[in-house]
Amino acid sequence: MAYFVWADDMVIDNGPIDSDHQMLIEQVNQLHTATQAGRGQEIVGQLLDTLIRSTIDHIQREEQFMARIKYPRLTEHQAGHENFVSKLRELQGKFTSGSITVAAQLSTLLRDWLSLHIRRYDKDIFHFMQRQERTKRSR
């Protein structure tokens, strides 16, 4: 069974944002599987590089999307994104310094952050879009 499973309550746009989230979840599961097999330390460096690039690309797409729909909490959402990327870079620095606990820390950080961020903060984008759609239909 996967460490972190995509669920219907995580759907935001049935498009690129969800695809990005699913890819990040897949990477979390790859890391967890490798860690469980005693290979986490082997793959964490390369995975961190990939995750940071993927996360930054995703954040740019998501923030452009939020700007396009005039999402009112964009600035606070951006702060959450910046904090997360900072934590990823911090773990990357620990890995580079030789820490042997980075794989487990990264696995937990990703699972917890993605679950909370998607289900709370990104889901608010979904609800905002629904309200906009209802307003358009009622005119």
Side-chain angles (χ1 to χ4, degrees), residues 71 114-125 127:
Y71 180 67
L114 282 169
S115 181
L116 175 66
H117 186 79
I118 293 169
R119 286 186 167 112
R120 183 175 296 163
Y121 299 102
D122 287 352
K123 200 62 170 184
D124 190 57
I125 299 166
H127 294 303

Side-chain angles (χ1 to χ4, degrees), residues 64-114:
Q64 288 169 354
F65 175 75
M66 288 186 286
R68 197 168 48 254
I69 66 169
K70 297 178 179 20
Y71 180 67
R73 287 176 282 288
L74 174 58
T75 302
E76 109 187 36
H77 204 99
Q78 287 171 316
H81 286 160
E82 289 169 15
N83 183 45
F84 180 61
V85 171
S86 176
K87 287 179 181 180
L88 289 175
R89 291 191 191 281
E90 181 181 317
L91 285 175
Q92 189 175 41
K94 286 181 179 182
F95 176 77
T96 302
S97 298
S99 174
I100 61 169
T101 62
V102 171
Q105 290 174 4
L106 178 60
S107 188
T108 300
L109 170 68
L110 290 170
R111 182 202 62 204
D112 294 351
W113 190 86
L114 282 169

Side-chain angles (χ1 to χ4, degrees), residues 8-68:
D8 290 343
D9 69 335
M10 300 170 82
V11 171
I12 305 302
D13 71 342
N14 285 308
I17 291 174
D18 289 338
S19 294
D20 285 351
H21 288 162
Q22 290 169 346
M23 182 212 35
L24 292 168
I25 289 169
E26 187 177 310
Q27 290 172 331
V28 171
N29 288 327
Q30 288 172 3
L31 174 62
H32 183 72
T33 299
T35 301
Q36 292 294 98
R39 294 185 13 263
Q41 199 65 15
E42 282 176 35
I43 72 160
V44 74
Q46 181 182 351
L47 187 61
L48 263 167
D49 291 341
T50 302
L51 268 168
I52 290 171
R53 277 193 311 277
S54 299
T55 299
I56 289 171
D57 289 347
H58 164 68
I59 286 169
Q60 288 174 342
R61 271 189 293 281
E62 191 173 278
E63 290 177 356
Q64 288 169 354
F65 175 75
M66 288 186 286
R68 197 168 48 254

